[in-house]
Amino acid sequence: MRRRLIVPVVMAAMCGTALVGTASSASAAVKAVDCRKVKCVALTFDDGPVADTKRLLKTLSDRNVRATFYLVGQNVARNPSVAKAIANGGNQIGNHSWDHADLTKLSAAKISSQFSRTDTAIRNATGLRPSTVRAPYGANNAAVRKAAARPLVHWSIDTLDWKYRDTARLIRTVTTQTRPGDIVLMHDIHKTTVSAVPGIITGLKSRGFHIVTVDQLFAPAKLPAGKVTYDNRKAYKP
């Protein structure tokens, strides 16, 4: 099980289009919200898909919530049906490299391969191409940003769920620390995290939050390719 690297100082709604071409659209059944006017948060899950991702997808579906999944290519190849279920549920899919390598330690050619192999695996499983990338450990440099050729979406709340396998702690962390425009980092490879999601959803909704995908969080703006984004806190104007 990989640990998260502690980097220095720690790291649309549907517009009437079908789920074709890019892995960024949310379900048409989800009501569009303007995150400049209401409190929004994007829940993101890294390192899957794994078998327990199906339990998470049921929770999201039952509560009419959509999330963003940053998928590892080799896990997509192992679990293509789960990747397809993520997309079919209206969730956003992002590229999280082929095998969770620290991309800053690889050559430019190997970085490109990490992204392209993952794109292919996701396309084979879902028919979609991820519209955003998340670098493993948040580790990036000019070569990584160039190879991504898409926005890099990192996070503003690191829950440390990989370190503290504590469902109650995770619920408390996300519920109390979230601010409008935040991007929350979690991992569906941990059963304690999947078990925390019902409580997280309840806690966030009790605070008036709308839980959205990354693309929805920034709509109608488009994130720039080759740039790293951590949150959209400035957008909310109550």
Side-chain angles (χ1 to χ4, degrees):
M1 199 72 70
R2 291 182 175 83
R3 293 288 195 265
R4 288 264 150 198
L5 178 70
I6 304 300
V7 295
V9 195
V10 193
M11 340 188 260
M14 281 291 287
C15 298
T17 57
L19 277 173
V20 175
T22 61
S24 62
S25 299
S27 169
V30 179
K31 183 178 179 181
V33 297
D34 187 339
C35 294
R36 298 167 298 182
K37 299 178 180 178
V38 300
K39 295 195 296 184
C40 293
V41 58
L43 300 182
T44 68
F45 298 93
D46 284 14
D47 297 355
V50 294
D52 207 34
T53 303
K54 292 183 286 187
R55 180 163 64 103
L56 172 56
L57 291 174
K58 185 177 188 308
T59 295
L60 296 176
S61 177
D62 288 348
R63 294 172 182 246
N64 200 31
V65 167
R66 304 296 178 266
T68 302
F69 290 78
Y70 283 95
L71 303 184
V72 171
Q74 64 181 7
N75 286 340
V76 175
R78 292 170 182 152
N79 302 285
S81 64
V82 183
K84 185 175 182 179
I86 292 171
N88 288 348
N91 302 286
Q92 182 173 340
I93 291 175
N95 184 317
H96 195 42
S97 82
W98 177 256
D99 59 7
H100 209 276
D102 181 344
L103 302 179
T104 63
K105 297 180 179 180
L106 303 181
S107 67
K110 288 184 177 179
I111 297 170
S112 294
S113 177
Q114 287 274 334
F115 290 139
S116 64
R117 291 177 72 190
T118 302
D119 282 343
T120 298
I122 291 171
R123 186 181 301 110
N124 288 344
T126 69
L128 308 173
R129 180 180 185 272
S131 60
T132 65
V133 163
R134 174 170 285 170
Y137 314 111
N140 71 95
N141 56 19
V144 173
R145 295 189 293 273
K146 181 179 180 181
R150 282 161 283 185
L152 279 78
V153 176
H154 288 174
W155 55 87
S156 50
I157 295 182
D158 186 350
T159 62
L160 299 177
D161 62 336
W162 57 269
K163 182 177 182 180
Y164 303 104
R165 309 292 178 84
D166 184 330
T167 293
R169 181 189 185 278
L170 180 55
I171 293 171
R172 183 170 62 252
T173 296
V174 179
T175 300
T176 61
Q177 293 186 12
T178 295
R179 295 165 51 187
D182 271 335
I183 299 172
V184 179
L185 170 64
M186 295 180 283
H187 303 80
D188 50 314
I189 59 174
H190 302 309
K191 292 185 181 298
T192 46
T193 296
V194 174
S195 295
V197 173
I200 288 170
I201 293 172
T202 297
L204 290 173
K205 288 188 173 182
S206 73
R207 291 186 57 203
F209 277 93
H210 296 259
I211 301 170
V212 299
T213 65
V214 164
D215 278 357
Q216 288 175 306
L217 187 68
F218 291 92
K222 298 293 184 182
L223 293 174
K227 302 290 185 181
V228 183
T229 298
Y230 299 92
D231 62 69
N232 197 26
R233 289 176 175 172
K234 294 181 179 180
Y236 177 57
K237 307 295 183 183

